[in-house]
Amino acid sequence: MEKMEQLFAALNEKAEHFVDTQQMSYLEGVLDALDTALAGDYVLPTADATKDDIRKAVQIAVLKGMRKASQPNHQMTPDTLGFLVGYFVEQFYQDSDNVTLLDPALGTGNLVFTIMNMVEKVEATGIEVDELLIHLASATAELLAQPITLYRQDSLEKLLVAPVDAVVCDLPVGYYPNEEVALEYELCATEGMSYAHHLFIEQSMNYVKEGGYAFFLIPATLFESEQAAQLHKYIKSHAWIQAVIQLPDGMFTSRAHEKSLLILQKQHAEMRAPKEVLLAKVPSLQNKNALGLFFEKVKIWQEQK
Ligand code: SAM
């Protein structure tokens, strides 16, 4: 058995034990299994495991829990998207010794931990409103020994976070219910409720340093809604679009679930917009040649921008 499978088997057995003996969901069982392992009350076979073995084992257990009790906000950013964002963070910050990173929609932390396991110089801050998810993120961070500061709060309210070098965010999509808070935003809807995903973009730009980058996993239809003109105007006056990357066909179950990667740079008085916006589509992950060409294209774009 691979190390990751061994870890998952141990975590799963303990989580199932909690489900059978105590009135709790499987996801809560996973959290208790992680907490008891961290308290030293049982041993997870982490010896010889890489940080990514541990992250993947937790990821599989959490996915199992999410499938068993589906809740609309319980969504995890899958590996493939995490690796892609991680690749761009690595490319954009290759000359920096350390990178401060904020994820204002942390969820389970899978996206951030995928990036942190790839780009070791990252120090992160994560914000999440859901209590169970942020506890899972906290236990996972401790197990991975990754430096992350966590806040459980509504990310669209004021944050106690100093401006960061980069933001990453798999945007929560839908309407934002707190209309009073929405009024603070330029992207507050002129009529009806505001889109949470638009407000998250604006809030991310509020907390990234000038010249810093924001990496958003966006719904592929982001620029097609009736509020798109307002979003375009906002982006034009605060940021420079660096790249819009379409994800491979077949990765999503339907057009409504399709996502793209949008990379923005917060404007800086002494910097200029990129000569060319990178518009590209990630080929099928099975097509190694096409993937190689895609990464080559990104490299050339970066050298010329
Ligand atoms: N990247 C995450 C991961 O790997 O697990 C998944 C992010 S999921 C697409 C979006 C997350 O945003 C959900 O966990 C949801 O609870 C959180 N969220 C939604 N609205 C929020 C708000 N106003 N403040 C903080 N978190 C929020």
Side-chain angles (χ1 to χ4, degrees):
M1 227 194 309
E2 277 188 27
K3 201 71 218 175
M4 188 270 283
E5 289 166 359
Q6 280 174 23
L7 278 163
F8 169 71
L11 196 53
N12 182 51
E13 191 184 342
K14 197 72 179 170
E16 293 284 12
H17 167 75
F18 284 127
V19 172
D20 292 342
T21 54
Q22 297 171 34
Q23 292 258 313
M24 59 171 67
S25 68
Y26 180 83
L27 214 46
E28 289 165 332
V30 173
L31 177 59
D32 278 14
L34 292 172
D35 280 345
T36 34
L38 287 165
D41 295 340
Y42 95 107
V43 180
L44 268 179
T46 50
D48 302 329
T50 63
K51 289 190 179 193
D52 230 39
D53 288 332
I54 301 174
R55 181 192 63 76
K56 283 181 184 157
V58 175
Q59 170 187 251
I60 294 174
V62 170
L63 279 175
K64 178 174 167 181
M66 287 180 169
R67 267 200 297 270
K68 275 178 179 255
S70 117
Q71 285 203 29
N73 69 321
H74 283 181
Q75 290 163 19
M76 188 184 234
T77 309
D79 273 2
T80 35
L81 301 190
F83 290 142
L84 185 73
V85 179
Y87 166 79
F88 279 97
V89 171
E90 207 162 38
Q91 292 294 314
F92 279 57
Y93 291 93
Q94 51 188 317
D95 298 330
S96 310
D97 293 333
N98 53 57
V99 180
T100 52
L101 186 85
L102 167 68
D103 184 344
L106 181 78
T108 60
N110 198 46
L111 171 63
V112 160
F113 299 136
T114 306
I115 297 168
M116 292 178 96
N117 285 353
M118 286 172 77
V119 190
E120 283 184 358
K121 56 196 172 185
V122 168
E123 209 175 295
T125 301
I127 307 171
E128 169 59 50
V129 76
D130 184 288
E131 195 169 348
L132 177 59
L133 297 186
I134 200 161
H135 277 144
L136 279 166
S138 165
T140 311
E142 209 177 324
L143 209 57
L144 296 174
Q146 284 293 14
I148 186 165
T149 307
L150 301 175
Y151 297 92
R152 184 188 164 226
Q153 69 158 94
D154 178 345
S155 294
L156 297 175
E157 297 198 11
K158 294 265 177 295
L159 306 179
L160 268 173
V161 177
V164 290
D165 298 315
V167 171
V168 294
C169 187
D170 185 353
L171 295 176
V173 177
Y175 289 111
Y176 178 58
N178 192 334
E179 295 191 34
E180 209 172 300
V181 171
L183 285 173
E184 305 283 321
Y185 286 81
E186 281 180 50
L187 284 171
C188 178
T190 45
E191 264 177 47
M193 287 173 86
S194 305
Y195 281 137
H197 40 297
H198 288 194
L199 304 185
F200 264 82
I201 290 178
E202 182 171 340
Q203 183 70 323
S204 301
M205 298 318 289
N206 291 339
Y207 285 89
V208 72
K209 292 176 189 168
E210 287 181 13
Y213 297 97
F215 304 82
F216 297 113
L217 289 166
I218 58 167
T221 52
L222 183 74
F223 294 108
E224 293 167 19
S225 84
E226 75 291 349
Q227 291 180 29
Q230 207 183 343
L231 179 62
H232 266 298
K233 189 167 159 224
Y234 172 84
I235 291 179
K236 214 171 156 199
S237 57
H238 295 275
W240 293 312
I241 297 183
Q242 291 274 333
V244 184
I245 318 275
Q246 270 182 279
L247 298 167
D249 290 335
M251 189 178 258
F252 306 97
T253 46
S254 68
R255 168 86 176 133
H257 292 106
E258 264 177 43
K259 292 186 188 202
S260 298
L261 172 62
L262 169 69
I263 307 178
L264 299 182
Q265 182 177 28
K266 185 163 173 174
Q267 290 181 6
H268 185 301
E270 284 156 29
M271 293 180 172
R272 52 173 178 73
K275 281 189 210 131
E276 193 192 335
V277 175
L278 175 68
L279 298 173
K281 181 168 181 174
V282 182
S284 155
L285 303 183
Q286 275 73 47
N287 190 339
K288 298 275 178 277
N289 276 348
L291 264 182
L293 287 173
F294 168 79
F295 289 122
E296 197 53 38
K297 179 176 173 177
V298 174
K299 275 224 163 81
I300 294 170
W301 169 77
Q302 243 208 313
E303 280 159 14
Q304 294 177 346
K305 85 184 165 99

